[in-house]
Amino acid sequence: MTSPAPRPRRRATALAGLVLGVLLAVTASPAFAHDELIGTDPAAGTTVETLPASLTLTFSGVLLTDAGATEVSVLDSSCTPLADGAPVVDGTRVTQALSGEATGAVTVLWRTVSSDSHPISGEFAFLVGDDGADATCEAANAPRGDGSTFDATPLLIGGGVIVVGAGILAAVLLARRRPSRED
């Protein structure tokens, strides 16, 4: 008959299980690197003398070019649309032609589908003229389209808790395991 394992060995086994659980939680997490808007022309928050003929949005990854995958709405401070035609997608850039007259705040609302098939959206504003007006179109603050986005944070936290919990449980079970009587 063999004697039970010494306590330091049990502690080492429990610690190894805990470390394994933490490593699984860290490496099993999905990537957070979705494409994002990295630049605009005109730049967000800047002032231009006159409404440009077009605006450009630059993203961190190539965008899908399927019909309806990219939408750009450009509104002056009285909610008058300024976009002229459909946006043109070329790799990581979206160009939207503009027409009309605008003075004051111009709000740009955009929605597109990134290369990883996730819809992304946002808005920004720039000023036209030097009158200092900064009131934006009220419609820009209203919900638009389905506008829903998937927030994976609760799932990641829950998954991490489950994986760490499973690691701790495995460590406890390994530490409590008794040697077999076959020896």
Side-chain angles (χ1 to χ4, degrees):
M1 188 171 204
T2 62
S3 62
R7 289 190 185 263
R9 184 173 174 193
R10 286 184 180 177
R11 286 187 185 134
T13 303
L15 182 60
L18 180 63
V19 169
L20 178 64
V22 170
L23 286 175
L24 285 173
V26 171
T27 59
S29 299
F32 290 105
H34 295 305
D35 293 335
E36 62 185 354
L37 181 67
I38 59 172
T40 64
D41 183 23
T46 60
T47 301
V48 295
E49 284 186 37
T50 60
L51 184 69
S54 65
L55 63 89
T56 303
L57 309 172
T58 304
F59 293 87
S60 61
V62 175
L63 304 175
L64 296 183
T65 58
D66 299 340
T70 300
E71 298 174 2
V72 178
S73 179
V74 184
L75 306 168
D76 69 9
S77 58
S78 64
C79 298
T80 302
L82 300 170
D84 186 14
V88 177
V89 178
D90 182 19
T92 61
R93 292 183 179 219
V94 175
T95 303
Q96 175 64 61
L98 303 176
S99 66
E101 297 291 322
T103 304
V106 173
T107 304
V108 179
L109 308 164
W110 58 267
R111 184 175 194 279
T112 191
V113 180
S114 63
S115 59
D116 61 2
S117 300
H118 285 87
I120 54 176
S121 61
E123 68 180 78
F124 69 94
F126 62 92
L127 296 174
V128 176
D130 55 2
D131 64 359
D134 59 357
T136 58
C137 171
E138 289 300 317
N141 299 322
R144 54 197 179 273
D146 69 357
S148 61
T149 59
F150 178 72
D151 184 13
T153 304
L155 289 176
L156 293 174
I157 292 171
V161 168
I162 289 170
V163 170
V164 169
I168 292 171
L169 180 62
V172 168
L173 290 175
L174 286 172
R176 298 185 119 224
R177 190 177 87 192
R178 297 179 187 210
S180 68
R181 294 186 178 232
E182 295 175 6
D183 293 334

